[in-house]
Amino acid sequence: MIQGEYQGNNVEKIKKILFQDDEAGLELFRLMQLYLFKDSDKDDVLKLTESNIPPSQPNETGYLPIGTWSPVFEDGEVVFVRNKQADTAFWESNCKQFCLKKKSTHKRVCVIGESVAAGMFFTPHISPTKTLSEYLELHSEGMWDVIDLTRNSMNAGALLETCRAALQINPDYIVVIAGNNWYTDITIEHSGPISRRRMYVNALDKGNICAIIQQYKEKSVEFAKEILRQIDGISSEVQTQFLFVLPAVNYKDWERRYPLHWLDNKKTSKWYEKFKLAVHAIENKDYESGLKLGVEMIQIDGGTNATSSRIVANCLMKLGRNEEAYAYCAAESDNSLLFDEITSFPGMSSLVRKEIKREEKSFKHIFFFDMEEIFQKFSGEKVVGSPFFVDYCHLSPEGYKISMAPIAGYITNCDVQIKNIDDDNHTVGSFYLATAYFCIALYNTHLNRPVINNFNMKKYVSLFQKAVDCCETVLDIMELYIKARGCQFGTGFALSKSGQKLSDMLNSPLDLPITQQAPGVDAFAITCICEILTANGRKGKKLLEEYQRAYINLLDKGVDLINPQYMEWINSHTMAAIDSENGTWRNMPYHKSWWPWSYFTLASDTLNDLEMEIVLRLPTSFTAKEKKRVSVVINNKVIKNIFVIDKWTMHKVTISAGCLSKGFNRVSLEWPELEQNEEKAISDLKDRYVKGRNVEFYPIFGEIFSMRVRKKTK
């Protein structure tokens, strides 16, 4: 009893210390967690290599499962049979089963890796494994078992686990295609647990955000080398030869737009001033000026931001200076993986690629292939993109053919001719290709964000047309998509008849969830699809009007444009996730802008004036005393300037029918220049990071509590 009383008193003492108004107790407690209870560096690496495959143990056969394939006895032999488990959908291989023992007349090759290795979008009909198998059959007289053990989103731990488990079936070769998904566990998190903050707290304490970024890059290289050391160790103990393929990244066609983090040199606002000028120059095709401004931005940010690097790369490529653009493309991709608040796209770091190639000989039991070099040699271009890729890193069927040829050549010890593979339309079926390219077009339209503010409609429309060129039956799928997206404003997609029918027609159960990540009103994709439908003799115009009409009717009661479904490029404001609450008010209770502009989609007719009621403010950290101007813009035309302060204020704006287009309209707010105490912002960030609180790595231009639009009452 007395002991219990003492426990109670001690708990109260701890509470009193932790909840002091000045947070000194909380800070001390967090510092102890960060520094005194830190794991060893070795333990940190072991934690980073935890597998994302469900754990398993040897069963009655004495063997471990290999991925989703479980060992069973069948006619006295051990056979690995595809089995349902928590992550089965991610193993998209159509391999039903394979034997423990290979035939004496056969050689066995296992392909292991993440979504690039799996053949995302084209599985199960076309994949790198199938392409490699065809090459081996064509260019050797022997018999081959080529087993696809790839898994979408396979992390480093799962890769190591699958490599070890695959040795049970005694392969002659293991081909590993991996390295894109290794860095999510070292991402710099704005709300990460103390265990994850330990990686960066010293760098932040001694330096600033740029020091954290440098630490991240060093850790990514260190981590990749550790993974390869472990694979090399596995390979050293067996006769199986390991071939490791460094995946390539689409530098040419995929753009990675990311806001600038707070800088250490008090020039964050200066960077954004130049950014606005650079965007204006590029939109007016003044690439020389855009290039000059982009270089100045990099000089300010020290080469730590993706957007400035992409601006320079785009301008150089427009000016025909592709060789020079390569380094900036690589920097853009590397700098897009740093922070967790905005959707990033997997890709092998150029620093990791360079370091692996530099130390290639130290991994004595691995033979390396560099997919980027393969594409560069084939195309004669330094900056590679289409036709090898369909998005930021996933390959096209042509990419499979070109990248697998030298691997097949190494295994068979002969010169493999790429042209010997039959056309995909002939061997696979045009409809399967068409559905794949439809999903690819959706994915690009939802996620490939340009660094400027205008969209190249022709670019995206052509992606949907490519699907039609494969097979016109895909037009049926496009119509189903429009109808399903219109069901309960998208929330009824999966339950609608159109949505269910559409899902049954796709190649993989993963395709639709992947392409459907928080698209919102989806105005851009819907417009592109309806344009394609109309151009191909379907009732695209009617479908578009019906889709828009549902949103227009909401104006009778009014809509709030800060509902995430109305935000343009919602994944620029939040992490993409297959999550029912992602991109909703529960996840984003009010809008905060990391950019000088905020963009929204408004569906309207041209019969009625509209009234807008906006509640907004500048960030409380703004140092300006006087009111600042915010411009309200409809379809690139300023309709009103309002003046705001760092407290919530309400403003009414009338939108005349003459300013509106029938259907989708682009509503934007242009925020004032940043006027914040950058030194204090970084000091506050450090303080919150150490205490385990959420931090803002990016400056905020403005915040909107609500932006309601309704038909104007007479």
Side-chain angles (χ1 to χ4, degrees):
M1 184 70 180
I2 295 175
Q3 185 179 5
E5 288 177 1
Y6 276 111
Q7 284 181 339
N9 290 336
N10 287 335
V11 169
E12 289 303 316
K13 286 180 181 178
I14 292 171
K15 285 182 179 178
K16 187 175 180 180
I17 293 170
L18 289 179
F19 291 104
Q20 293 178 68
D21 290 341
D22 63 0
E23 296 188 339
L26 173 63
E27 185 171 9
L28 176 61
F29 179 69
R30 293 302 191 199
L31 287 170
M32 291 173 66
Q33 284 183 300
L34 287 166
Y35 289 100
L36 300 185
F37 308 137
K38 187 179 185 301
D39 295 327
S40 68
D41 291 340
K42 184 177 180 181
D43 288 336
D44 284 343
V45 170
L46 289 174
K47 285 182 179 179
L48 290 174
T49 55
E50 288 179 357
S51 171
N52 61 353
I53 301 174
S56 60
Q57 296 293 328
N59 62 11
E60 66 276 5
T61 66
Y63 292 94
L64 279 166
I66 305 175
T68 195
W69 292 271
S70 296
V72 297
F73 285 117
E74 193 173 283
D75 297 328
E77 298 286 338
V78 176
V79 177
F80 287 81
V81 178
R82 188 178 178 89
N83 189 31
K84 284 191 175 181
Q85 60 185 41
D87 68 339
T88 294
F90 289 88
W91 302 84
E92 292 198 277
S93 164
N94 62 353
C95 177
K96 300 297 182 185
Q97 65 179 50
F98 47 87
C99 297
L100 172 69
K101 294 182 179 179
K102 63 185 176 186
K103 295 178 181 178
S104 59
T105 55
H106 285 57
K107 286 191 173 182
R108 177 169 282 176
V109 179
C110 292
V111 180
I112 301 173
E114 49 214 27
S115 55
V116 170
M120 182 168 147
F121 295 119
F122 296 98
T123 53
H125 307 291
I126 316 174
S127 68
T129 302
K130 287 193 169 188
T131 304
L132 178 61
S133 179
E134 290 178 37
Y135 276 139
L136 295 177
E137 289 179 12
L138 282 170
H139 292 87
S140 70
E141 296 179 359
M143 304 293 287
W144 297 89
D145 292 333
V146 184
I147 302 174
D148 187 340
L149 300 177
T150 58
R151 180 194 188 277
N152 285 300
S153 300
M154 177 181 279
N155 68 1
L159 172 67
L160 294 171
E161 181 180 329
T162 306
C163 285
R164 293 188 185 101
L167 294 176
Q168 298 175 115
I169 60 174
N170 193 27
D172 297 279
Y173 298 90
I174 288 181
V175 179
V176 177
I177 308 172
N180 289 326
N181 291 351
W182 291 357
Y183 315 110
T184 53
D185 289 326
I186 59 172
T187 300
I188 305 167
E189 297 178 327
H190 76 290
S191 61
I194 289 293
S195 59
R196 298 286 285 271
R197 297 183 189 222
R198 287 193 186 109
M199 288 188 283
Y200 299 112
V201 67
N202 279 335
L204 185 61
D205 185 40
K206 295 175 183 177
N208 284 307
I209 297 178
C210 290
I212 291 184
I213 291 172
Q214 183 59 33
Q215 177 84 347
Y216 167 88
K217 292 179 178 180
E218 290 172 3
K219 279 191 172 293
S220 66
V221 172
E222 174 190 332
F223 183 47
K225 287 164 66 176
E226 175 59 28
I227 298 304
L228 288 171
R229 278 193 287 268
Q230 292 195 37
I231 293 175
D232 194 50
I234 295 168
S235 181
S236 67
E237 299 172 357
V238 294
Q239 295 298 312
T240 301
Q241 182 161 8
F242 277 70
L243 310 180
F244 196 101
V245 184
L246 305 176
V249 178
N250 184 352
Y251 287 156
K252 182 184 287 185
D253 309 303
W254 195 273
E255 300 189 32
R256 300 158 180 87
R257 172 176 172 151
Y258 289 85
L260 177 69
H261 55 83
W262 285 109
L263 293 175
D264 310 339
N265 54 14
K266 305 177 187 177
K267 291 184 178 179
T268 312
S269 59
K270 191 71 176 175
W271 187 96
Y272 274 106
E273 289 173 22
K274 293 187 180 296
F275 168 66
K276 291 173 72 173
L277 293 171
V279 167
H280 180 75
I282 295 170
E283 288 179 345
N284 286 282
K285 296 182 170 52
D286 182 1
Y287 301 115
E288 291 285 1
S289 296
L291 174 60
K292 181 175 180 293
L293 289 160
V295 169
E296 290 173 357
M297 290 165 66
I298 291 174
Q299 289 170 348
I300 292 172
D301 66 42
T304 59
N305 180 259
T307 301
S308 55
S309 295
R310 171 49 68 171
I311 284 173
V312 172
N314 280 358
C315 291
L316 286 171
M317 287 189 283
K318 287 291 185 181
L319 295 168
R321 296 159 62 181
N322 286 28
E323 291 280 330
E324 296 174 65
Y326 175 83
Y328 296 99
C329 290
E332 177 218 23
S333 181
D334 293 348
N335 290 327
S336 70
L337 302 171
L338 304 172
F339 300 101
D340 72 326
E341 285 191 88
I342 299 177
T343 305
S344 61
F345 305 101
M348 171 160 275
S349 160
S350 68
L351 301 174
V352 170
R353 185 188 308 279
K354 191 181 297 182
E355 185 68 12
I356 290 173
K357 291 170 72 174
R358 189 178 71 83
E359 295 197 10
E360 183 177 333
K361 292 182 180 178
S362 67
F363 306 108
K364 298 178 181 179
H365 305 94
I366 305 174
F367 190 87
F368 287 93
F369 294 87
D370 185 352
M371 195 180 285
E372 181 179 79
E373 280 188 1
I374 293 169
F375 290 150
Q376 288 172 338
K377 183 178 179 181
F378 183 86
S379 65
E381 296 181 357
K382 183 75 170 175
V383 180
V384 293
S386 60
F388 310 125
F389 298 93
V390 295
D391 60 18
Y392 46 90
C393 70
H394 299 108
L395 305 181
S396 65
E398 185 170 351
Y400 302 159
K401 296 175 188 177
I402 295 163
S403 60
M404 291 299 104
I407 298 165
Y410 178 88
I411 293 173
T412 60
N413 194 28
C414 70
D415 184 22
V416 172
Q417 298 298 315
I418 294 170
K419 63 182 180 182
N420 288 344
I421 294 292
D422 291 336
D423 289 338
D424 296 312
N425 279 38
H426 176 69
T427 58
V428 174
S430 57
F431 179 72
Y432 297 122
L433 277 177
T435 55
Y437 281 113
F438 169 70
C439 290
I440 288 162
L442 275 181
Y443 198 57
N444 277 263
T445 308
H446 290 157
L447 293 174
N448 193 355
R449 308 183 292 261
V451 292
I452 59 175
N453 294 323
N454 294 335
F455 308 131
N456 181 354
M457 279 287 289
K458 289 183 179 179
K459 171 184 173 181
Y460 295 96
V461 168
S462 67
L463 294 175
F464 288 102
Q465 184 59 48
K466 183 166 186 174
V468 179
D469 292 341
C470 290
C471 179
E472 290 190 1
T473 309
V474 78
L475 293 167
D476 296 336
I477 286 182
M478 293 184 182
E479 289 181 345
L480 290 171
Y481 180 81
I482 302 292
K483 292 174 182 177
R485 284 288 303 133
C487 182
Q488 294 298 309
F489 309 103
T491 59
F493 190 104
L495 297 177
S496 67
K497 289 182 179 179
S498 296
Q500 291 176 13
K501 189 174 180 181
L502 169 60
S503 298
D504 291 339
M505 298 172 76
L506 298 181
N507 296 331
S508 162
L510 288 180
D511 285 350
L512 201 58
I514 287 170
T515 59
Q516 275 285 99
Q517 295 177 63
V521 173
D522 210 9
F524 196 44
I526 296 295
T527 302
C528 290
I529 293 170
C530 288
E531 184 173 321
I532 288 295
L533 289 170
T534 302
N536 287 276
R538 299 292 182 99
K539 297 179 180 179
K541 187 175 180 181
K542 181 181 178 183
L543 281 172
L544 179 61
E545 289 175 351
E546 290 173 351
Y547 182 88
Q548 293 170 335
R549 175 54 54 189
Y551 285 96
I552 293 170
N553 289 341
L554 294 175
L555 291 175
D556 291 335
K557 293 184 177 180
V559 298
D560 194 338
L561 295 186
I562 72 152
N563 183 330
Q565 69 173 328
Y566 295 105
M567 293 182 192
E568 270 190 15
W569 303 100
I570 181 61
N571 294 308
S572 294
H573 303 278
T574 184
M575 282 290 292
I578 303 173
D579 180 348
S580 60
E581 291 191 359
N582 191 60
T584 70
W585 264 319
R586 290 188 180 183
N587 192 41
M588 301 174 64
Y590 64 91
H591 175 82
K592 58 183 180 182
S593 180
W594 290 316
W595 296 99
W597 310 275
S598 297
Y599 289 99
F600 308 88
T601 299
L602 170 66
S604 175
D605 55 31
T606 56
L607 302 176
N608 300 279
D609 292 346
L610 304 178
E611 54 185 12
M612 176 187 289
E613 193 175 272
I614 316 175
V615 178
L616 74 170
R617 70 179 180 187
L618 299 177
T620 54
S621 55
F622 252 60
T623 55
K625 302 299 182 184
E626 69 278 8
K627 292 181 178 181
K628 291 294 180 179
R629 184 183 67 191
V630 175
S631 297
V632 182
V633 183
I634 306 289
N635 299 327
N636 297 321
K637 181 180 179 181
V638 177
I639 60 168
K640 188 172 183 179
N641 292 316
I642 57 179
F643 293 86
V644 299
I645 55 175
D646 60 356
K647 294 181 176 58
W648 294 115
T649 54
M650 189 268 285
H651 305 264
K652 291 187 176 182
V653 179
T654 297
I655 306 172
S656 67
C659 296
L660 297 166
S661 300
K662 185 179 181 181
F664 295 129
N665 294 266
R666 197 181 204 195
V667 179
S668 60
L669 298 185
E670 183 171 352
W671 299 98
E673 304 291 344
L674 282 176
E675 291 187 33
Q676 300 184 44
N677 186 329
E678 298 186 25
E679 191 172 355
K680 184 177 184 304
I682 293 178
S683 175
D684 290 345
L685 185 153
K686 286 184 175 184
D687 183 59
R688 293 181 66 85
Y689 192 83
V690 168
K691 291 177 181 176
R693 296 187 180 279
N694 289 3
V695 298
E696 291 284 357
F697 288 115
Y698 309 123
I700 297 171
F701 281 81
E703 298 171 337
I704 311 172
F705 185 78
S706 66
M707 187 158 61
R708 294 196 61 81
V709 182
R710 62 175 64 84
K711 289 181 181 178
K712 189 173 183 180
T713 54
K714 296 180 180 179

